[in-house]
Amino acid sequence: MKKIRVAIVGFGNVGREVLPAVEESPDMEVAGIVLRNPKKVDSVKKLVGEVPVVTDVAELGKVDAAILSIPSRSVPEVAPMYLKQGINTIDSFDIHGDSIIELRRNLDSLAKANNAVSIISCGWDPGSDSIVRTLMEVIAPRGITYTDFGPGMSMGHTVVAKSIEGVEDALSMTIPEGTGIHRRMVYVKIKDGYDFEKISQAIKNDPYFIHDETHVYKVDDVKSLIDKGHGVHMERKGVSGVTSNQRIEFSMSICNPAATGQIMAAAARASLKQKPGCYSTLEIPIIDFLYGDKESLLYRLI
């Protein structure tokens, strides 16, 4: 069996979990890790042993898919670099709404022009949760679905908080209030000479935080607060045909980066089964994410 050669782009919390997810997949192999910052190469090499660590994907030879374990705001710039080389891309872009639609539109034409596939927003939310929300709506077309996250560490929000000027380290916790309303609890260690109040306002005014109740706290040590666990509870109350009060629930408690890394690895497999273009998880047959003979999977899962 010819294995899918996967490059892991970035090696933060998610990238570290993508590595074992790919290594444990029978039909995949790690081509290497690609870092955008050359200063981090040596330290990552110490963590991954014999896995190649490079700054240019061209150094890895033939690569079928690149899993972009990078901040969402970097995806629109980085994904085209790989698609132009005919390499499939998988990201976990998590800026909901118009941004996802715009990204899909832009990457779709680029992927088609270079005979490649891009799968966007393929973490657990957006991603696998998107599939569950859709299934709920299939069962009850009319109604309301509430998605409650946490309590847990939000990777995307934490990355944004860390990017604010003057922040040395940060942690963003998501606390569910119910009916899809959340509170953000942000803990920051600030650099010497910076004003905490200005940093607090910058975080609260960022698009990631501006729509939620956000509290920012100054702490001396962020690492002692970190627990990468997270979770989600989704509930839909709706109507099937003319029958009301159809209630559907889904919940899970997870290690945030491990779940994201596993889903992205599965998406790398699915990308090799699609025609050129850009896709969300909703546009791909769910069976394409799984390893194994199709008929055997159908026999087991139907």
Side-chain angles (χ1 to χ4, degrees):
M1 176 181 63
K2 183 181 178 182
K3 293 194 174 185
I4 302 166
R5 285 179 52 79
V6 176
I8 302 169
V9 182
F11 206 66
N13 286 318
V14 174
R16 288 185 176 91
E17 297 292 347
V18 171
L19 179 60
V22 173
E23 289 178 329
E24 291 296 314
S25 299
D27 55 339
M28 297 184 192
E29 63 182 21
V30 179
I33 297 165
V34 184
L35 302 179
R36 294 179 293 165
N37 185 352
K39 294 180 180 179
K40 296 183 177 180
V41 170
D42 288 340
S43 60
V44 172
K45 281 183 175 179
K46 293 177 181 178
L47 295 174
V48 299
E50 296 182 0
V51 176
V53 182
V54 301
T55 56
D56 187 342
V57 71
E59 300 176 55
L60 300 178
K62 178 72 167 69
V63 170
D64 298 305
I67 295 180
L68 308 183
S69 308
I70 59 177
S72 288
R73 286 174 173 165
S74 299
V75 169
E77 173 191 355
V78 174
M81 297 165 51
Y82 290 85
L83 293 173
K84 288 176 181 177
Q85 299 178 63
I87 298 173
N88 293 356
T89 62
I90 295 89
D91 66 65
S92 57
F93 186 86
D94 68 349
I95 305 174
H96 292 261
D98 292 342
S99 296
I100 288 178
I101 302 304
E102 182 181 357
L103 178 66
R104 181 186 176 281
R105 186 180 298 121
N106 292 340
L107 296 186
D108 187 58
S109 57
L110 191 58
K112 287 176 178 174
N114 292 278
N115 197 35
V117 169
S118 178
I119 301 180
I120 65 167
S121 302
C122 194
W124 61 278
D125 201 301
S128 58
D129 283 357
S130 308
I131 296 171
V132 175
R133 275 192 290 269
T134 303
L135 178 59
M136 287 180 169
E137 199 157 320
V138 169
I139 298 169
R142 283 193 291 127
I144 299 174
T145 300
Y146 296 112
T147 303
D148 294 316
F149 300 112
M153 177 183 178
S154 168
M155 295 296 164
H157 287 76
T158 295
V159 167
V160 169
K162 285 182 177 181
S163 73
I164 300 295
E165 184 178 358
V167 173
E168 183 174 319
D169 201 2
L171 165 67
S172 179
M173 294 290 292
T174 301
I175 310 299
E177 299 281 294
T179 62
I181 298 171
H182 300 89
R183 185 168 71 249
R184 308 290 180 179
M185 309 294 286
V186 186
Y187 304 89
V188 295
K189 180 180 181 181
I190 66 173
K191 297 176 182 177
D192 291 338
Y194 282 87
D195 186 292
F196 169 70
E197 290 303 324
K198 289 183 178 179
I199 288 174
S200 177
Q201 280 304 121
I203 291 172
K204 292 177 182 179
N205 290 332
D206 188 275
Y208 262 79
F209 292 94
I210 199 167
H211 299 295
D212 297 317
E213 176 189 337
T214 300
H215 300 269
V216 183
Y217 299 96
K218 182 180 178 181
V219 298
D220 295 325
D221 179 24
V222 170
K223 289 181 173 54
S224 65
L225 307 177
I226 291 177
D227 170 2
K228 295 175 185 176
H230 212 329
V232 66
H233 176 256
M234 287 186 280
E235 181 177 9
R236 183 170 180 82
K237 184 176 182 296
V239 181
S240 303
V242 295
T243 302
S244 297
N245 202 39
Q246 305 290 70
R247 300 177 70 97
I248 313 159
E249 290 186 66
F250 171 84
S251 65
M252 66 179 182
S253 296
I254 52 168
C255 170
N256 188 346
T260 302
Q262 185 65 60
I263 295 163
M264 293 175 83
R269 174 184 300 115
S271 74
L272 272 293
K273 303 174 185 179
Q274 312 309 311
K275 295 179 180 179
C278 183
Y279 303 82
S280 68
T281 53
L282 299 186
E283 300 166 271
I284 297 172
I286 195 167
I287 198 169
D288 286 356
F289 289 93
L290 297 175
Y291 167 72
D293 172 70
K294 188 172 185 177
E295 286 197 353
S296 297
L297 291 170
L298 291 173
Y299 180 84
R300 179 167 60 87
L301 294 170
I302 291 179

mmCIF file of all heavy atoms in Angstrom, residues 5-8 11 19 23 29-35 41 44-45 48-57 59-61:
data_model
loop_
_atom_site.group_PDB
_atom_site.id
_atom_site.type_symbol
_atom_site.label_atom_id
_atom_site.label_comp_id
_atom_site.label_asym_id
_atom_site.label_seq_id
_atom_site.Cartn_x
_atom_site.Cartn_y
_atom_site.Cartn_z
ATOM 1 N N ARG A 5 1.761 10.768 2.108
ATOM 2 C CA ARG A 5 2.853 11.504 2.748
ATOM 3 C C ARG A 5 2.336 12.865 3.215
ATOM 4 O O ARG A 5 1.874 13.682 2.414
ATOM 5 C CB ARG A 5 4.038 11.668 1.799
ATOM 6 C CG ARG A 5 4.835 10.370 1.640
ATOM 7 C CD ARG A 5 6.005 10.506 0.688
ATOM 8 N NE ARG A 5 6.883 11.612 0.960
ATOM 9 C CZ ARG A 5 7.844 11.633 1.911
ATOM 10 N NH1 ARG A 5 8.008 10.567 2.691
ATOM 11 N NH2 ARG A 5 8.618 12.698 2.082
ATOM 12 N N VAL A 6 2.432 13.072 4.523
ATOM 13 C CA VAL A 6 1.841 14.258 5.142
ATOM 14 C C VAL A 6 2.924 15.149 5.735
ATOM 15 O O VAL A 6 3.794 14.687 6.480
ATOM 16 C CB VAL A 6 0.857 13.849 6.258
ATOM 17 C CG1 VAL A 6 0.299 15.085 6.971
ATOM 18 C CG2 VAL A 6 -0.275 13.001 5.683
ATOM 19 N N ALA A 7 2.860 16.427 5.401
ATOM 20 C CA ALA A 7 3.710 17.430 6.040
ATOM 21 C C ALA A 7 2.892 18.141 7.111
ATOM 22 O O ALA A 7 1.728 18.483 6.891
ATOM 23 C CB ALA A 7 4.217 18.440 5.019
ATOM 24 N N ILE A 8 3.493 18.349 8.262
ATOM 25 C CA ILE A 8 2.835 19.064 9.362
ATOM 26 C C ILE A 8 3.422 20.467 9.402
ATOM 27 O O ILE A 8 4.618 20.645 9.662
ATOM 28 C CB ILE A 8 3.050 18.344 10.702
ATOM 29 C CG1 ILE A 8 2.512 16.913 10.622
ATOM 30 C CG2 ILE A 8 2.380 19.114 11.840
ATOM 31 C CD1 ILE A 8 2.905 16.038 11.802
ATOM 32 N N PHE A 11 4.167 23.643 14.722
ATOM 33 C CA PHE A 11 4.312 22.610 15.752
ATOM 34 C C PHE A 11 4.002 23.184 17.137
ATOM 35 O O PHE A 11 4.762 23.044 18.081
ATOM 36 C CB PHE A 11 5.726 22.017 15.721
ATOM 37 C CG PHE A 11 5.806 20.607 16.263
ATOM 38 C CD1 PHE A 11 5.178 19.565 15.612
ATOM 39 C CD2 PHE A 11 6.496 20.348 17.429
ATOM 40 C CE1 PHE A 11 5.221 18.276 16.116
ATOM 41 C CE2 PHE A 11 6.573 19.057 17.939
ATOM 42 C CZ PHE A 11 5.936 18.027 17.278
ATOM 43 N N LEU A 19 1.041 14.983 14.884
ATOM 44 C CA LEU A 19 2.144 14.034 14.660
ATOM 45 C C LEU A 19 1.765 12.600 15.044
ATOM 46 O O LEU A 19 1.835 11.697 14.190
ATOM 47 C CB LEU A 19 3.392 14.494 15.417
ATOM 48 C CG LEU A 19 4.625 13.593 15.306
ATOM 49 C CD1 LEU A 19 5.079 13.459 13.856
ATOM 50 C CD2 LEU A 19 5.765 14.135 16.171
ATOM 51 N N GLU A 23 1.084 9.336 12.584
ATOM 52 C CA GLU A 23 1.939 8.154 12.789
ATOM 53 C C GLU A 23 1.120 6.904 13.094
ATOM 54 O O GLU A 23 1.516 5.793 12.717
ATOM 55 C CB GLU A 23 2.929 8.426 13.922
ATOM 56 C CG GLU A 23 4.013 9.430 13.563
ATOM 57 C CD GLU A 23 4.947 9.712 14.726
ATOM 58 O OE1 GLU A 23 4.497 9.640 15.887
ATOM 59 O OE2 GLU A 23 6.140 10.000 14.474
ATOM 60 N N GLU A 29 2.135 8.434 6.389
ATOM 61 C CA GLU A 29 3.456 8.587 6.978
ATOM 62 C C GLU A 29 3.783 10.074 7.069
ATOM 63 O O GLU A 29 3.299 10.879 6.265
ATOM 64 C CB GLU A 29 4.523 7.863 6.161
ATOM 65 C CG GLU A 29 4.724 8.381 4.753
ATOM 66 C CD GLU A 29 5.766 7.580 3.990
ATOM 67 O OE1 GLU A 29 6.040 6.425 4.384
ATOM 68 O OE2 GLU A 29 6.304 8.112 3.002
ATOM 69 N N VAL A 30 4.580 10.425 8.072
ATOM 70 C CA VAL A 30 4.969 11.817 8.258
ATOM 71 C C VAL A 30 6.144 12.132 7.342
ATOM 72 O O VAL A 30 7.230 11.562 7.505
ATOM 73 C CB VAL A 30 5.342 12.100 9.721
ATOM 74 C CG1 VAL A 30 5.768 13.564 9.886
ATOM 75 C CG2 VAL A 30 4.177 11.775 10.645
ATOM 76 N N ALA A 31 5.920 13.024 6.394
ATOM 77 C CA ALA A 31 7.019 13.440 5.518
ATOM 78 C C ALA A 31 7.987 14.336 6.272
ATOM 79 O O ALA A 31 9.207 14.290 6.048
ATOM 80 C CB ALA A 31 6.460 14.175 4.295
ATOM 81 N N GLY A 32 7.439 15.134 7.187
ATOM 82 C CA GLY A 32 8.273 16.021 7.979
ATOM 83 C C GLY A 32 7.464 17.153 8.564
ATOM 84 O O GLY A 32 6.260 17.267 8.348
ATOM 85 N N ILE A 33 8.142 17.991 9.312
ATOM 86 C CA ILE A 33 7.532 19.151 9.946
ATOM 87 C C ILE A 33 8.109 20.403 9.306
ATOM 88 O O ILE A 33 9.333 20.523 9.145
ATOM 89 C CB ILE A 33 7.789 19.157 11.462
ATOM 90 C CG1 ILE A 33 7.122 17.919 12.093
ATOM 91 C CG2 ILE A 33 7.294 20.443 12.118
ATOM 92 C CD1 ILE A 33 7.597 17.632 13.498
ATOM 93 N N VAL A 34 7.241 21.333 8.936
ATOM 94 C CA VAL A 34 7.667 22.575 8.304
ATOM 95 C C VAL A 34 7.412 23.727 9.276
ATOM 96 O O VAL A 34 6.287 23.918 9.745
ATOM 97 C CB VAL A 34 6.900 22.842 6.991
ATOM 98 C CG1 VAL A 34 7.441 24.103 6.315
ATOM 99 C CG2 VAL A 34 7.011 21.645 6.052
ATOM 100 N N LEU A 35 8.459 24.468 9.583
ATOM 101 C CA LEU A 35 8.352 25.607 10.483
ATOM 102 C C LEU A 35 8.595 26.906 9.725
ATOM 103 O O LEU A 35 9.498 26.987 8.892
ATOM 104 C CB LEU A 35 9.368 25.490 11.624
ATOM 105 C CG LEU A 35 9.269 24.235 12.500
ATOM 106 C CD1 LEU A 35 10.361 24.261 13.561
ATOM 107 C CD2 LEU A 35 7.903 24.142 13.162
ATOM 108 N N VAL A 41 13.745 25.573 14.751
ATOM 109 C CA VAL A 41 14.065 24.277 14.149
ATOM 110 C C VAL A 41 14.804 23.362 15.119
ATOM 111 O O VAL A 41 14.431 22.196 15.312
ATOM 112 C CB VAL A 41 14.880 24.460 12.851
ATOM 113 C CG1 VAL A 41 15.429 23.109 12.361
ATOM 114 C CG2 VAL A 41 14.016 25.095 11.763
ATOM 115 N N VAL A 44 12.642 21.999 18.038
ATOM 116 C CA VAL A 44 11.658 21.005 17.609
ATOM 117 C C VAL A 44 12.344 19.694 17.246
ATOM 118 O O VAL A 44 11.822 18.614 17.531
ATOM 119 C CB VAL A 44 10.824 21.546 16.419
ATOM 120 C CG1 VAL A 44 9.937 20.446 15.838
ATOM 121 C CG2 VAL A 44 9.964 22.718 16.869
ATOM 122 N N LYS A 45 13.512 19.756 16.641
ATOM 123 C CA LYS A 45 14.258 18.532 16.313
ATOM 124 C C LYS A 45 14.514 17.693 17.553
ATOM 125 O O LYS A 45 14.466 16.457 17.514
ATOM 126 C CB LYS A 45 15.584 18.887 15.641
ATOM 127 C CG LYS A 45 15.475 19.247 14.170
ATOM 128 C CD LYS A 45 16.845 19.510 13.565
ATOM 129 C CE LYS A 45 16.745 19.756 12.065
ATOM 130 N NZ LYS A 45 18.068 20.045 11.447
ATOM 131 N N VAL A 48 11.277 15.604 18.288
ATOM 132 C CA VAL A 48 10.683 14.651 17.343
ATOM 133 C C VAL A 48 11.646 13.585 16.836
ATOM 134 O O VAL A 48 11.273 12.757 15.995
ATOM 135 C CB VAL A 48 10.061 15.398 16.146
ATOM 136 C CG1 VAL A 48 8.962 16.332 16.628
ATOM 137 C CG2 VAL A 48 11.118 16.174 15.359
ATOM 138 N N GLY A 49 12.853 13.574 17.332
ATOM 139 C CA GLY A 49 13.780 12.508 16.949
ATOM 140 C C GLY A 49 14.164 12.535 15.481
ATOM 141 O O GLY A 49 14.703 13.530 14.986
ATOM 142 N N GLU A 50 13.839 11.465 14.762
ATOM 143 C CA GLU A 50 14.286 11.327 13.374
ATOM 144 C C GLU A 50 13.343 11.975 12.361
ATOM 145 O O GLU A 50 13.620 11.962 11.160
ATOM 146 C CB GLU A 50 14.444 9.842 13.042
ATOM 147 C CG GLU A 50 15.529 9.144 13.869
ATOM 148 C CD GLU A 50 15.694 7.682 13.492
ATOM 149 O OE1 GLU A 50 14.970 7.208 12.587
ATOM 150 O OE2 GLU A 50 16.535 7.009 14.107
ATOM 151 N N VAL A 51 12.251 12.531 12.795
ATOM 152 C CA VAL A 51 11.328 13.198 11.863
ATOM 153 C C VAL A 51 12.011 14.450 11.307
ATOM 154 O O VAL A 51 12.489 15.295 12.071
ATOM 155 C CB VAL A 51 10.018 13.589 12.566
ATOM 156 C CG1 VAL A 51 9.107 14.361 11.606
ATOM 157 C CG2 VAL A 51 9.313 12.354 13.093
ATOM 158 N N PRO A 52 12.070 14.604 9.976
ATOM 159 C CA PRO A 52 12.713 15.784 9.396
ATOM 160 C C PRO A 52 12.002 17.077 9.813
ATOM 161 O O PRO A 52 10.770 17.141 9.851
ATOM 162 C CB PRO A 52 12.572 15.561 7.891
ATOM 163 C CG PRO A 52 12.380 14.089 7.733
ATOM 164 C CD PRO A 52 11.624 13.645 8.944
ATOM 165 N N VAL A 53 12.781 18.094 10.143
ATOM 166 C CA VAL A 53 12.243 19.417 10.480
ATOM 167 C C VAL A 53 12.907 20.428 9.551
ATOM 168 O O VAL A 53 14.135 20.586 9.564
ATOM 169 C CB VAL A 53 12.516 19.784 11.954
ATOM 170 C CG1 VAL A 53 11.891 21.150 12.280
ATOM 171 C CG2 VAL A 53 11.981 18.716 12.891
ATOM 172 N N VAL A 54 12.108 21.097 8.745
ATOM 173 C CA VAL A 54 12.628 21.984 7.705
ATOM 174 C C VAL A 54 11.878 23.314 7.726
ATOM 175 O O VAL A 54 10.879 23.484 8.427
ATOM 176 C CB VAL A 54 12.499 21.329 6.311
ATOM 177 C CG1 VAL A 54 13.260 20.005 6.258
ATOM 178 C CG2 VAL A 54 11.023 21.104 5.955
ATOM 179 N N THR A 55 12.359 24.247 6.904
ATOM 180 C CA THR A 55 11.675 25.531 6.760
ATOM 181 C C THR A 55 11.041 25.686 5.385
ATOM 182 O O THR A 55 10.370 26.684 5.124
ATOM 183 C CB THR A 55 12.653 26.701 6.996
ATOM 184 O OG1 THR A 55 13.758 26.577 6.098
ATOM 185 C CG2 THR A 55 13.155 26.699 8.437
ATOM 186 N N ASP A 56 11.241 24.703 4.521
ATOM 187 C CA ASP A 56 10.668 24.735 3.168
ATOM 188 C C ASP A 56 10.174 23.331 2.824
ATOM 189 O O ASP A 56 10.946 22.365 2.875
ATOM 190 C CB ASP A 56 11.723 25.189 2.154
ATOM 191 C CG ASP A 56 11.154 25.404 0.756
ATOM 192 O OD1 ASP A 56 10.047 24.891 0.462
ATOM 193 O OD2 ASP A 56 11.815 26.067 -0.052
ATOM 194 N N VAL A 57 8.902 23.210 2.464
ATOM 195 C CA VAL A 57 8.321 21.902 2.181
ATOM 196 C C VAL A 57 9.031 21.198 1.034
ATOM 197 O O VAL A 57 9.023 19.959 0.947
ATOM 198 C CB VAL A 57 6.807 22.033 1.894
ATOM 199 C CG1 VAL A 57 6.568 22.709 0.543
ATOM 200 C CG2 VAL A 57 6.111 20.686 1.969
ATOM 201 N N GLU A 59 12.013 20.642 0.703
ATOM 202 C CA GLU A 59 13.083 19.808 1.247
ATOM 203 C C GLU A 59 12.606 18.412 1.623
ATOM 204 O O GLU A 59 13.432 17.521 1.890
ATOM 205 C CB GLU A 59 13.697 20.479 2.473
ATOM 206 C CG GLU A 59 14.315 21.843 2.216
ATOM 207 C CD GLU A 59 14.814 22.490 3.500
ATOM 208 O OE1 GLU A 59 15.620 21.852 4.203
ATOM 209 O OE2 GLU A 59 14.385 23.617 3.826
ATOM 210 N N LEU A 60 11.297 18.187 1.607
ATOM 211 C CA LEU A 60 10.738 16.908 2.053
ATOM 212 C C LEU A 60 10.430 15.955 0.900
ATOM 213 O O LEU A 60 9.956 14.846 1.124
ATOM 214 C CB LEU A 60 9.457 17.149 2.855
ATOM 215 C CG LEU A 60 9.617 17.993 4.120
ATOM 216 C CD1 LEU A 60 8.262 18.196 4.788
ATOM 217 C CD2 LEU A 60 10.605 17.349 5.086
ATOM 218 N N GLY A 61 10.710 16.368 -0.326
ATOM 219 C CA GLY A 61 10.381 15.519 -1.464
ATOM 220 C C GLY A 61 8.886 15.529 -1.734
ATOM 221 O O GLY A 61 8.196 16.512 -1.491
#
